Amino acid sequence: MDFFRWDIIWDYRELYLSGFLTTIILTICGYIGGVIFGLLLGLGQVSNKKWIYWPAKIYIDVFRGTPMLVQLLLIHLAVIPTIFGESMSWWVSGIVGLILNSAAYNAEIFRAGIQSIDKGQMEAARSLGLTHSQAMKKVILPQAFRRMIPPLGNEFIALLKDSSLVTVIAGMEILYVSKVVAGTYQRFWEPYLFAAFLYLVLTYTATKIIAIVEKRVDINYNPRKKRGAHK
């Protein structure tokens, strides 16, 4: 019985490779942009100025409270055509959507990380003559960053899996290629099992890399472990 036909995967190997690379590029671009924008939103969340705090809070609540699928469709079909007068490549809409969504979750990570640092640290820095911005940059954020690494790593893995949603705007990533193969051959086990395998490879690799980064940062912040690492 010809139950599994892996030859149909081989026939589309170049398209799968392209989809694999597209998924990686989408995730990295979305994550980097999401971290930068999320940091600004996170700082807005801990600001005492209401005109900074409230826009940041509303943005975070809106993007965390609505599905990314809806956000991608709105950005691709409504927001970008309204602003620029015409639709743009799914690349633009996909990356913008991933950045805007990821930023909302990263902002909460930054807010929690900053607020986990004892208030005395800020007061001590200010008593030494540092401005609020200097104290945040040189004292608070370096300490908070260590605590942020695990949740930031989890957000990267979540974004990697969520990048499959770009398929709804014709983003040619892994899931889109699998849909093409399934539609062509009217077979569903092989393409979608292979898509699951590729996502598993990506998330497993990302998990290992994040674990290495966590260990390296922990060693750098812990003098005893640092000495042990050089033995």
Side-chain angles (χ1 to χ4, degrees), residues 6-221:
W6 297 112
D7 60 298
I8 66 176
I9 303 298
W10 180 254
D11 290 343
Y12 279 80
R13 59 188 180 281
E14 293 183 359
L15 207 54
Y16 266 114
L17 177 60
S18 175
F20 188 80
L21 295 175
T22 297
T23 297
I24 294 174
I25 294 170
L26 279 173
T27 304
I28 291 176
C29 291
Y31 186 73
I32 292 174
V35 167
I36 295 171
F37 189 27
L39 175 59
L40 297 177
L41 290 170
L43 291 174
Q45 279 279 74
V46 298
S47 174
N48 293 325
K49 298 176 181 175
K50 292 184 178 180
W51 63 273
I52 296 177
Y53 171 81
W54 280 109
K57 179 172 176 52
I58 291 171
Y59 177 93
I60 292 168
D61 288 346
V62 169
F63 275 84
R64 280 167 53 91
T66 55
M68 183 189 286
L69 183 63
V70 176
Q71 295 164 14
L72 284 170
L73 290 172
L74 276 172
I75 290 168
H76 186 63
L77 301 175
V79 176
I80 287 182
T82 300
I83 294 175
F84 296 100
E86 60 181 6
S87 297
M88 300 187 75
S89 164
W90 63 264
W91 271 107
V92 176
S93 303
I95 290 175
V96 169
L98 292 177
I99 288 174
L100 295 180
N101 183 274
S102 179
Y105 288 91
N106 285 326
E108 283 295 282
I109 295 172
F110 284 116
R111 179 197 59 76
I114 292 169
Q115 290 182 339
S116 71
I117 304 301
D118 190 90
K119 292 182 179 179
Q121 295 284 321
M122 174 61 79
E123 294 170 359
R126 295 300 300 272
S127 68
L128 292 175
L130 297 179
T131 64
H132 182 84
S133 298
Q134 289 173 331
M136 188 65 73
K137 180 180 178 181
K138 297 181 178 180
V139 178
I140 304 299
L141 284 178
Q143 296 182 70
F145 178 69
R146 182 188 175 194
R147 301 177 182 180
M148 295 173 191
I149 290 178
L152 285 175
N154 290 336
E155 172 55 24
F156 179 84
I157 292 172
L159 190 66
L160 197 158
K161 291 183 286 187
D162 286 345
S163 68
S164 64
L165 295 174
V166 176
T167 191
V168 300
I169 56 173
M172 297 181 66
E173 40 70 65
I174 294 172
L175 185 59
Y176 183 89
V177 177
S178 296
K179 288 171 64 180
V180 170
V181 175
T184 301
Y185 292 93
Q186 289 300 300
R187 297 183 69 90
F188 304 99
W189 275 99
E190 296 90 340
Y192 290 120
L193 275 179
F194 190 62
F197 170 74
L198 293 179
Y199 281 114
L200 183 62
V201 169
L202 287 172
T203 55
Y204 182 79
T205 304
T207 301
K208 290 298 180 184
I209 293 173
I210 291 165
I212 293 172
V213 172
E214 286 181 29
K215 186 176 180 180
R216 181 65 60 89
V217 171
D218 191 43
I219 288 174
N220 289 337
Y221 273 84

